[in-house]
Amino acid sequence: AQTVTQSQPEMSVQEAETVTLSCTYDTSESDYYLFWYKQPPSRQMILVIRQEAYKQQNATENRFSVNFQKAAKSFSLKISDSQLGDAAMYFCALISSGSARQLTFGSGTQLTVLP
Amino acid sequence: DTGVSQNPRHKITKRGQNVTFRCDPISEHNRLYWYRQTLGQGPEFLTYFQNEAQLEKSRLLSDRFSAERPKGSFSTLEIQRTEQGDSAMYLCASSSRDRRTDTQYFGPGTRLTVL
């Protein structure tokens, strides 16, 4: 079985500042992918960033970057220059090659951006 | 690329009634997934199709739930004899045949309320 844990139910950040959301996971598979999804109040789940476990280089998408620590099974998301539109629920998710093609999600972190 | 679409967006029904939801995936995607999300939680996997074949079903998918993808394109999820505990957001996602990518893109969801 695979698990994903997000230990921060809520976070807040000042506009233009940087915030880091934490995620830890557990899987027995060696080949897997990690994702961060964003779910704004409209509730459409949007992909933010993806990391392949076989890649050592941390993924980056514009203002979003990850810190992938494979040995520690940690996958944090850093949002730089936070904007009001970044306010949303953020979910960390894992899919393993050896399991069914299902995403396992964490419980989410509600991010508030303060003007 | 029109994205994943789901209909209806909202459904209110009385306990004991049957309901059916539809999902239209991104056109070139051969994999289709159903998830259930309750308030304040991450989505939970229900079932997965590759083309028209249903390859995996979660234990969450009781006998009252059935999903189909008859021609490998759109999918339907039916819930028979609805119960109040079925109230949730039902999310559909699709992904490409490219295993390396395997990124799931979500639709807007169908919110079910069982009275």
Side-chain angles (χ1 to χ4, degrees), chain A residues 45-109:
Chain A
M45 193 82 70
I46 301 166
L47 175 69
V48 175
I49 199 165
R50 175 184 66 237
Q51 174 79 42
E52 292 88 343
Y54 65 88
K55 288 186 177 178
Q56 293 187 335
Q57 186 174 5
N58 289 326
T60 300
E61 287 287 341
N62 301 314
R63 298 182 294 106
F64 299 88
S65 62
V66 299
N67 183 4
F68 175 45
Q69 301 289 327
K70 191 171 184 178
K73 295 184 176 178
S74 169
F75 182 62
S76 61
L77 174 70
K78 184 171 83 172
I79 306 173
S80 304
D81 185 26
S82 297
Q83 300 175 0
L84 295 177
D86 295 332
M89 182 73 89
Y90 285 81
F91 290 101
C92 178
L94 163 73
I95 189 166
S96 299
S97 62
S99 69
R101 310 309 296 171
Q102 56 177 284
L103 282 165
T104 299
F105 285 85
S107 55
T109 297

Side-chain angles (χ1 to χ4, degrees), chain A residues 31 33 35 37 39 42-45 47 50 52 54 89 91 95 97 100-108, chain B residues 9 31 33 35 37 39-43 45 48 56 89 91 99-108 111:
Chain A
D31 186 16
Y33 305 91
F35 304 85
Y37 283 90
Q39 193 174 40
S42 66
R43 301 195 59 111
Q44 175 117 27
M45 193 82 70
L47 175 69
R50 175 184 66 237
E52 292 88 343
Y54 65 88
M89 182 73 89
F91 290 101
I95 189 166
S97 62
R101 310 309 296 171
Q102 56 177 284
L103 282 165
T104 299
F105 285 85
S107 55
Chain B
R9 296 291 306 276
R31 293 173 174 160
Y33 315 78
Y35 292 83
Q37 186 180 24
L39 201 60
Q41 299 298 316
F45 172 78
Y48 151 61
E56 189 74 18
M89 177 75 84
L91 297 171
R99 181 187 177 277
R100 272 298 188 199
T101 305
D102 212 15
T103 297
Q104 295 180 26
Y105 296 90
F106 284 81
R111 177 182 293 281

Side-chain angles (χ1 to χ4, degrees), chain B residues 38-79:
Chain B
T38 52
L39 201 60
Q41 299 298 316
E44 295 174 293
F45 172 78
L46 292 178
T47 190
Y48 151 61
F49 291 84
Q50 181 159 304
N51 300 313
E52 66 276 7
Q54 188 173 17
L55 297 185
E56 189 74 18
K57 290 168 61 173
S58 162
R59 288 173 295 176
L60 293 174
L61 214 64
S62 75
D63 291 344
R64 297 184 297 105
F65 288 70
S66 63
E68 294 182 343
R69 194 182 182 198
K71 297 182 180 179
S73 56
F74 72 91
S75 175
T76 58
L77 177 67
E78 181 183 15
I79 309 174

